Amino acid sequence: MDIERLYETLKKIQEPQGCFFNKDRERVFELLKGLLINKQRYGYMSCPCRLASGNYEKDKDIVCPCAYREPDVKEYGTCYCNLYVSVEWNEGKIEHKYVPERRPPEKMPF
């Protein structure tokens, strides 16, 4: 799958759920490229902003959209990677703050 097709597919799935891509298309396409690389590498699209172990069961919390996206977007208006954001975040109506890592240390592969 190419990046443009992945973008269109995910957009159709995620927007009805209230999650939108960051308006910075260059950033979005870099992140989508990372998802596709991880799919080739591991067989699943793990978050490109986190280290995956290569074991799906251990990593299923970081398969995009990760388990932390919803609370991150709710609290900060964006997920950890800034891939998925709220309308308010894209429109600059809320401050763009650093999103701390929610993944527990015991789930880290190192």
Side-chain angles (χ1 to χ4, degrees), residues 31-46:
L31 291 166
L32 294 178
K33 179 181 174 184
L35 287 173
L36 291 174
I37 289 168
N38 284 345
K39 178 146 174 85
Q40 287 178 330
R41 184 179 291 152
Y42 305 118
Y44 51 91
M45 290 194 297
S46 65

Side-chain angles (χ1 to χ4, degrees), residues 12-79:
K12 287 177 190 172
I13 294 168
Q14 300 303 323
E15 283 189 359
Q17 297 178 38
C19 283
F20 301 87
F21 282 129
N22 186 329
K23 67 180 179 182
D24 180 348
R25 263 178 84 99
E26 187 176 326
R27 172 137 178 99
V28 169
F29 276 60
E30 281 299 313
L31 291 166
L32 294 178
K33 179 181 174 184
L35 287 173
L36 291 174
I37 289 168
N38 284 345
K39 178 146 174 85
Q40 287 178 330
R41 184 179 291 152
Y42 305 118
Y44 51 91
M45 290 194 297
S46 65
C47 176
C49 298
R50 294 179 167 105
L51 291 175
S53 69
N55 177 315
Y56 178 80
E57 284 304 310
K58 289 182 179 179
D59 292 338
K60 63 184 175 183
D61 64 317
I62 60 167
V63 172
C64 190
C66 75
Y68 313 104
R69 179 188 73 176
E70 188 175 330
D72 285 349
V73 172
K74 187 174 184 175
E75 186 173 348
Y76 298 98
T78 181
C79 70

Side-chain angles (χ1 to χ4, degrees), residues 62-105:
I62 60 167
V63 172
C64 190
C66 75
Y68 313 104
R69 179 188 73 176
E70 188 175 330
D72 285 349
V73 172
K74 187 174 184 175
E75 186 173 348
Y76 298 98
T78 181
C79 70
Y80 183 69
C81 297
N82 301 137
L83 177 62
Y84 290 109
V85 301
S86 67
V87 171
E88 295 80 13
W89 193 92
N90 257 345
E91 292 177 351
K93 292 180 180 175
I94 58 174
E95 186 180 348
H96 292 190
K97 295 181 181 177
Y98 171 76
V99 178
E101 174 64 270
R102 288 184 194 266
R103 192 173 199 214

